[in-house]
Amino acid sequence: MLNMRKKGSFHKRIEHIKQAFGQPEDLIFHIVEKGSVSLAIIYFKSLVEQVELKRGVVKKIQASSEDDYFLDEYMNIVTTPASLKESSDELLNDLLEGMAVIILSNSNAYVICDVSSTEGRDIVPSETEINIRGPHEAFTERLDKNIGLLRMRIRNPNLRLVSLQLGNVTKTKVIVSYIEGTAPKEIIDEVFTRLNQVDINIILESQMIEEAIVDKQASLFPTISNTELPAKVASRLIEGRVAILTEGTPFALTVPALFTEFFQAPEDYYQRWDIASLLRLLRFTTFIWGTLVPGLFVALTTYHQEMIPSLLLYSFAAQREGLPYPSLVEVLIMEFIFEVLREAGVRMPVAIGSAISIVGALVLGQAAVQAGLISAAVVIVVSLTAVANFVSPAYNFGVTGRILRFGFLLAGGTLGFYGMFFLFLVVLIHSASLQSFGVSYLTPFAPLNLRDLRDTFVRLPDNWVKNQIPKGIGRKE
Amino acid sequence: MRKISALLPLFLILLLSGCWDQGDISELVIVDMIGIEKDKNTDEFVIYLQIVNPTSFATQEKRIDSSPVYTFVSKHKSLKAAVDKASLQVPRHLFFAKTNFLLLSSDLEISDMEEIFNFLDRNSETRAPIQTAVSLQPLSETMFRLTKINILPGQWLFENLQASKRHFSATVLKYRVRDNVEKYYRDGNLLFPAVVFLDDNAQTTDFLNEVDTSSGHAQFVGGVAYQKNAEPVLLSEEEMALYNLLKNQLNQLPLTVSKDEEVAHFLDINRCKSKKKTIGENPYRFGFRITCKADFLNSKVTDTLTLKAIEEMESEANKSLEAKLSELTDKLQEEELDLLGLFSRYPSMSKMEKRSAFKNATLTYDVKITVNDVGNIIDSYSDEEEQE
């Protein structure tokens, strides 16, 4: 880092800063002569709140008398939050964080004034996690706003927000949040250990951190959960989890993430427990449906026809009469078409997005069946599966279901029920072996914790088991 | 090494199933009904395979001009070879897992049955329940008939048999081929329901006097029993019901109790329990204690129904049912046909000894029928008035 103390003169220091940044256009040096002392206010035009800077710093300094001031006196002249830094080591970093830096020709220290811009997206409802009842606010890309949203929900002195800087190049600010006394110490320590070991250049989204700190990269199952709902993060903090908020993305990470967590929607807790339980069961069922049904269909029609009820078998036989491809190929074609349409639907501009649904409905629905390429039953199976996949409240877990679906499809198509059952065992063994920050992934099923089962397949009312933090989270394996 | 041993189960599974086992639905011909008879001249089995034509009825655009089934005929000394020969006519895999019905010719012998059930029992696809019946008409006529309503004949017969059992004689039981094999080896005989196919062209309703039906084209009329070195024995519908009563499988049985020819009470016998007891050996004596409930259905008697009259009715019904059971016993003993398997628990006896022992055995019946539902027509005070 720079060592300006040795470089001596005021102008040399300015020149050095200019050169360090490559003389960018938006780096402003505002030089004011105050008696015998030269003073420079340095800032990035693009990173500061200009009105605040002018009103609270520039005008105040200009309006001050011509007397010689010591550097620490400028902290009282400016009206913005300011602090004195003795060493110049972090000067460049402070500038990048949107601070205005004041240097004086008679001192090697400097003053930072917090005039960083709070411009950015307003707090708007989440577009990725929709709920009908309950708070709609979502996190934004600004960390300070996100912290505010969190503090608003947990007004408790034990809420800890520890700041870190990650990314060798991007120097992204990351906040680790937990509730002291609630979150198990082992998990907190584990989070800090892993974050401190992160050695990547670029962090633009929390996924990059997730990938760097995840327990097992070669797994389909997510062991770190993400959400852009502050209410969800707050409830998880209260349950003893740890949240990681990242500057520049509305998606916060929470750990440990357990299998059952991906079936829980915030709305479950904002409506009657019986309705919530029914919906919870529905989500589990649709996950199994979405993962297994195409494979089951292919296995049944290719290997185990005797298991299909007679009339349904005749119907399938009538539909398959004269079709060119075997069931497996038919389903693969349909799944491929559907995945293409889905991806196109996500990436396409909204204005022409409706075209996709029309083409999709035509291609998937009528045309393919009428053209004799695929049977109507396959269209029903694939479309129902696709719809079932959207029921998952967590997008990343939905993707897991999608990938598993193809696995089961190929297993069912090549080895029948034997293959599917074998793959099921492999998936079960794998998921039972997973851990998320020291907690077993299948908690509370394995290891079994009867008390925590109240909030798994169903959600029992809170007053039945009052104010109890899930025991499983605190269990160190 | 650990990884290889972990993968071993996967390789083992490859041996069990795989792409080579696959058979797409479109490569199957689904056999709905099998008919088997014997050509007496050439001593060959004649197998009729009625296969489903799904496009004629299982699609929304039904092709009503085409038949819901096609029937293929094949002949050979061995059933397996006859089926193999039949598969030459159909360039697809003959799929037996959905076979509903096995229709046997009445002139088959029990040795032929052994071959039939052996063949079906060995075929891994025919383990599902298959109802079996004997056609009292030649199969060359019946196997080519279609139902009036556009459904599969085999399926129609299957459902009709289930329904007729539910409404008349026996409780609904699903039979597997294996059950017939077991009965044959246990009792030395086989019993199947008999079916007649009605004449589609009948212009009058005269046939309704013989077989009580008003819809469909086939009717179950009692049963046919087979045993070695003997002619098949035809049982009437009532005799089948009495057989089911003794086997504890009776659902319901209508019974007419008449004081004289002009007046009669009609009862519905149901909820029966039959207990068999061996009273003595050499000579063999068996006693059946039968308790039944009965519903009073109707009466041609004009007198007021009193408690006393009901007691008399019960007494009459007991006698009537005992007489019917004795008649059935006489018939079976004359034919040496131990349908009830009374001697199946004497393994030391030869089949011939069992038959003769059954013929000479004494069977007694003690029937107790309780009328427990008379509707609202009883006048319980009439007896008292008479006494006054």
Side-chain angles (χ1 to χ4, degrees):
Chain A
M1 286 300 286
L2 294 174
N3 188 345
M4 293 189 193
R5 195 170 293 170
K6 288 179 184 171
K7 304 240 179 231
S9 81
F10 176 70
H11 288 287
K12 269 192 178 173
R13 284 170 74 190
I14 288 176
E15 198 55 37
H16 195 87
I17 295 168
K18 274 185 185 170
Q19 279 176 3
F21 287 113
Q23 301 190 331
E25 271 187 19
D26 62 338
L27 182 62
I28 306 296
F29 293 86
H30 204 97
I31 296 169
V32 183
E33 297 293 336
K34 283 281 174 188
S36 59
V37 180
S38 294
L39 177 147
I41 307 166
I42 313 166
Y43 57 89
F44 277 103
K45 196 169 71 179
S46 53
L47 294 179
V48 301
E49 193 70 53
Q50 301 225 29
V51 178
E52 185 69 18
L53 176 81
K54 277 186 184 154
R55 195 171 53 199
V57 181
V58 180
K59 280 191 178 171
K60 294 287 174 191
I61 290 174
Q62 282 173 342
S64 63
S65 66
E66 292 291 317
D67 300 337
D68 292 344
Y69 286 111
F70 291 108
L71 188 62
D72 53 353
E73 287 171 301
Y74 282 99
M75 282 167 57
N76 298 325
I77 290 171
V78 297
T79 55
T80 59
S83 59
L84 182 77
K85 292 209 173 177
E86 294 294 337
S87 154
S88 308
D89 292 352
E90 291 178 3
L91 192 145
L92 298 184
N93 272 346
D94 289 334
L95 282 172
L96 286 172
E97 283 186 15
M99 305 290 176
V101 171
I102 302 167
I103 57 172
L104 252 68
S105 55
N106 63 357
S107 170
N108 284 330
Y110 64 99
V111 168
I112 54 167
C113 308
D114 188 359
V115 286
S116 58
S117 170
T118 52
E119 270 180 23
R121 210 156 49 92
D122 283 337
I123 296 168
V124 290
S126 168
E127 285 179 7
T128 54
E129 292 169 83
I130 312 287
N131 58 18
I132 296 167
R133 185 173 171 178
H136 294 277
E137 288 178 328
F139 283 134
T140 71
E141 284 75 10
R142 303 291 307 186
L143 204 49
D144 44 1
K145 276 188 188 174
N146 295 348
I147 291 168
L149 287 170
L150 210 53
R151 280 226 186 266
M152 193 184 89
R153 284 175 175 78
I154 308 173
R155 296 185 195 279
N156 191 312
N158 287 334
L159 177 68
R160 299 280 177 269
L161 297 158
V162 183
S163 181
L164 297 171
Q165 202 175 52
L166 297 177
N168 300 337
V169 175
T170 53
K171 308 284 184 199
T172 310
K173 197 172 168 189
V174 171
I175 299 279
V176 178
S177 173
Y178 57 92
I179 296 177
E180 186 81 59
T182 303
K185 201 174 172 309
E186 304 87 34
I187 294 178
I188 301 168
D189 292 346
E190 185 68 31
V191 170
F192 280 110
T193 312
R194 290 193 197 181
L195 283 175
N196 288 330
Q197 286 169 354
V198 169
D199 182 23
I200 46 177
N201 289 334
I202 176 167
I203 291 173
L204 300 173
E205 218 285 329
S206 50
Q207 162 63 24
M208 293 164 170
I209 301 175
E210 182 179 333
E211 209 165 286
I213 62 170
V214 75
D215 290 74
K216 214 177 215 174
Q217 286 193 338
S219 173
L220 287 176
F221 291 95
T223 49
I224 294 175
S225 173
N226 69 67
T227 179
E228 58 170 347
L229 296 179
K232 206 165 168 179
V233 173
S235 74
R236 286 187 181 160
L237 289 178
I238 292 163
E239 281 180 348
R241 290 182 170 85
V242 178
I244 301 164
L245 288 81
T246 313
E247 177 82 68
T249 175
F251 288 94
L253 305 176
T254 59
V255 292
L258 310 179
F259 178 77
T260 52
E261 204 175 300
F262 298 99
F263 297 93
Q264 298 168 348
E267 212 172 328
D268 291 354
Y269 305 92
Y270 307 148
Q271 56 187 352
R272 287 171 52 91
W273 67 274
D274 45 359
I275 301 170
S277 298
L278 197 72
L279 293 176
R280 196 66 77 70
L281 285 171
L282 186 80
R283 276 182 223 126
F284 274 100
T285 317
T286 46
F287 174 71
I288 292 168
W289 172 284
T291 313
L292 296 180
V293 164
L296 281 176
F297 175 79
V298 172
L300 277 173
T301 52
T302 315
Y303 295 98
H304 314 286
Q305 296 93 351
E306 67 280 356
M307 293 180 76
I308 307 173
S310 299
L311 288 176
L312 192 61
L313 180 70
Y314 304 148
S315 176
F316 283 168
Q319 288 173 31
R320 295 221 23 87
E321 201 67 41
L323 291 182
Y325 304 114
S327 294
L328 175 64
V329 178
E330 256 185 63
V331 176
L332 278 174
I333 290 173
M334 274 299 291
E335 288 281 3
F336 178 73
I337 293 173
F338 178 75
E339 291 295 334
V340 169
L341 284 171
R342 169 142 80 174
E343 194 57 22
V346 172
R347 308 282 158 227
M348 276 186 120
V350 181
I352 48 172
S354 59
I356 283 290
S357 51
I358 295 166
V359 171
L362 283 177
V363 171
L364 296 181
Q366 272 189 307
V369 176
Q370 282 184 348
L373 282 175
I374 45 173
S375 65
V378 169
V379 177
I380 294 169
V381 166
V382 173
S383 45
L384 273 178
T385 308
V387 175
N389 196 245
F390 287 118
V391 174
S392 174
Y395 177 78
N396 53 347
F397 201 73
V399 177
T400 303
R402 266 158 81 181
I403 299 170
L404 281 176
R405 182 167 77 225
F406 281 100
F408 279 108
L409 183 58
L410 292 174
T414 51
L415 295 165
F417 280 171
Y418 288 119
M420 289 192 73
F421 190 70
F422 188 81
L423 185 61
F424 180 77
L425 281 181
V426 170
V427 171
L428 191 68
I429 292 167
H430 168 70
S431 52
S433 75
L434 279 181
Q435 290 205 337
S436 175
F437 287 77
V439 181
S440 276
Y441 192 54
L442 294 187
T443 307
F445 304 115
L448 185 67
N449 186 334
L450 290 176
R451 206 196 68 190
D452 286 358
L453 286 178
R454 76 198 159 98
D455 194 10
T456 49
F457 291 127
V458 291
R459 179 183 79 75
L460 298 183
D462 272 350
N463 55 3
W464 288 10
V465 196
K466 212 164 189 176
N467 293 333
Q468 288 185 352
I469 290 154
K471 223 171 146 187
I473 304 255
R475 190 191 296 260
K476 178 79 183 165
E477 294 299 322
Chain B
M1 190 62 204
R2 266 189 73 195
K3 278 186 181 173
I4 292 170
S5 57
L7 283 173
L8 198 64
L10 185 69
F11 295 129
L12 288 176
I13 259 173
L14 287 172
L15 301 174
L16 295 171
S17 167
C19 297
W20 50 85
D21 276 347
Q22 71 160 318
D24 200 80
I25 289 182
S26 56
E27 293 163 13
L28 305 177
V29 281
I30 304 160
V31 180
D32 176 50
M33 179 155 77
I34 307 171
I36 299 174
E37 68 179 5
K38 201 138 192 205
D39 186 338
K40 294 282 179 194
N41 300 326
T42 57
D43 198 32
E44 284 181 320
F45 281 106
V46 185
I47 186 161
Y48 298 80
L49 298 171
Q50 212 168 63
I51 63 164
V52 180
N53 172 21
T55 49
S56 74
F57 70 99
T59 51
Q60 284 199 326
E61 297 148 8
K62 284 178 184 169
R63 285 161 49 192
I64 45 171
D65 52 328
S66 66
S67 163
V69 286
Y70 299 122
T71 306
F72 291 89
V73 190
S74 173
K75 269 175 147 187
H76 202 278
K77 296 243 178 201
S78 139
L79 267 178
K80 172 81 174 67
V83 171
D84 289 347
K85 250 174 100 178
S87 64
L88 295 176
Q89 301 170 50
V90 202
R92 293 183 183 182
H93 171 65
L94 284 165
F95 186 64
F96 288 98
K98 291 291 167 189
T99 305
N100 285 308
F101 218 82
L102 171 66
L103 197 59
L104 301 171
S105 158
S106 58
D107 53 11
L108 284 171
E109 290 169 13
I110 201 147
S111 56
D112 303 327
M113 305 277 180
E114 282 180 50
E115 159 109 17
I116 292 167
F117 291 117
N118 195 11
F119 164 70
L120 291 174
D121 199 32
R122 282 183 188 201
N123 187 334
S124 62
E125 283 179 359
T126 55
R127 299 273 168 88
I130 299 180
Q131 289 289 8
T132 311
V134 176
S135 168
L136 299 180
Q137 294 140 311
L139 292 192
S140 52
E141 284 179 26
T142 56
M143 286 302 289
F144 289 95
R145 290 202 191 197
L146 299 176
T147 47
K148 284 175 186 170
I149 38 178
N150 195 18
I151 61 167
L152 305 174
Q155 191 192 341
W156 187 88
L157 279 171
F158 183 90
E159 285 167 9
N160 201 354
L161 186 60
Q162 301 278 30
S164 71
K165 278 183 172 178
R166 194 155 44 233
H167 291 299
F168 188 52
S169 55
T171 46
V172 182
L173 287 175
K174 286 201 169 178
Y175 287 102
R176 296 164 303 150
V177 170
R178 186 87 223 148
D179 298 329
N180 288 318
V181 178
E182 279 167 10
K183 178 165 173 53
Y184 176 67
Y185 285 107
R186 193 180 60 231
D187 302 341
N189 54 52
L190 287 165
L191 176 66
F192 303 112
V195 64
V196 290
F197 287 76
L198 305 178
D199 188 0
D200 281 339
N201 303 319
Q203 295 298 309
T204 66
T205 54
D206 288 346
F207 66 88
L208 292 178
N209 296 331
E210 291 169 23
V211 281
D212 182 20
T213 183
S214 52
S215 68
H217 74 300
Q219 175 67 34
F220 290 95
V221 283
V224 180
Y226 294 87
Q227 68 175 342
K228 241 177 185 166
N229 307 325
E231 287 293 308
V233 178
L234 193 65
L235 299 181
S236 69
E237 190 64 38
E238 190 181 64
E239 286 167 339
M240 282 290 276
L242 293 171
Y243 163 77
N244 286 320
L245 167 66
L246 294 174
K247 295 288 279 182
N248 268 323
Q249 288 172 0
L250 182 76
N251 193 21
Q252 57 185 46
L253 166 71
L255 189 72
T256 308
V257 181
S258 54
K259 281 182 175 175
D260 56 52
E261 288 172 2
E262 302 239 334
V263 286
H265 297 297
F266 302 101
L267 295 177
D268 180 21
I269 309 290
N270 50 39
R271 286 165 285 167
C272 292
K273 275 185 188 165
S274 166
K275 275 188 183 172
K276 186 189 80 177
K277 197 176 174 188
T278 310
I279 301 166
E281 294 184 357
N282 293 326
Y284 288 96
R285 287 191 296 141
F286 300 95
F288 284 87
R289 190 175 182 81
I290 296 158
T291 51
C292 291
K293 305 281 183 207
D295 297 338
F296 177 75
L297 293 177
N298 207 343
S299 181
K300 282 190 176 174
V301 185
T302 49
D303 294 348
T304 316
L305 195 61
T306 62
L307 291 172
K308 193 177 168 193
I310 290 173
E311 277 172 24
E312 282 171 13
M313 194 195 306
E314 285 172 347
S315 165
E316 287 289 323
N318 292 344
K319 282 181 201 163
S320 171
L321 195 56
E322 279 169 15
K324 282 175 192 292
L325 286 165
S326 297
E327 274 175 39
L328 175 68
T329 312
D330 293 344
K331 181 175 175 175
L332 294 179
Q333 282 186 323
E334 196 179 317
E335 302 285 349
E336 299 179 359
L337 187 62
D338 181 14
L339 274 185
L340 300 168
L342 294 176
F343 289 90
S344 57
R345 66 184 187 90
Y346 297 100
S348 58
M349 291 167 83
S350 71
K351 276 190 180 161
M352 290 313 290
E353 283 172 338
K354 281 182 186 174
R355 280 167 71 161
S356 114
F358 176 70
K359 191 175 183 177
N360 299 320
T362 311
L363 275 72
T364 53
Y365 300 99
D366 178 14
V367 178
K368 186 164 173 35
I369 295 171
T370 316
V371 178
N372 70 337
D373 185 359
V374 292
N376 56 3
I377 56 172
I378 189 167
D379 182 0
S380 56
Y381 299 104
S382 303
D383 295 340
E384 293 167 22
E385 282 168 15
E386 277 171 23
Q387 284 167 8
E388 282 170 12

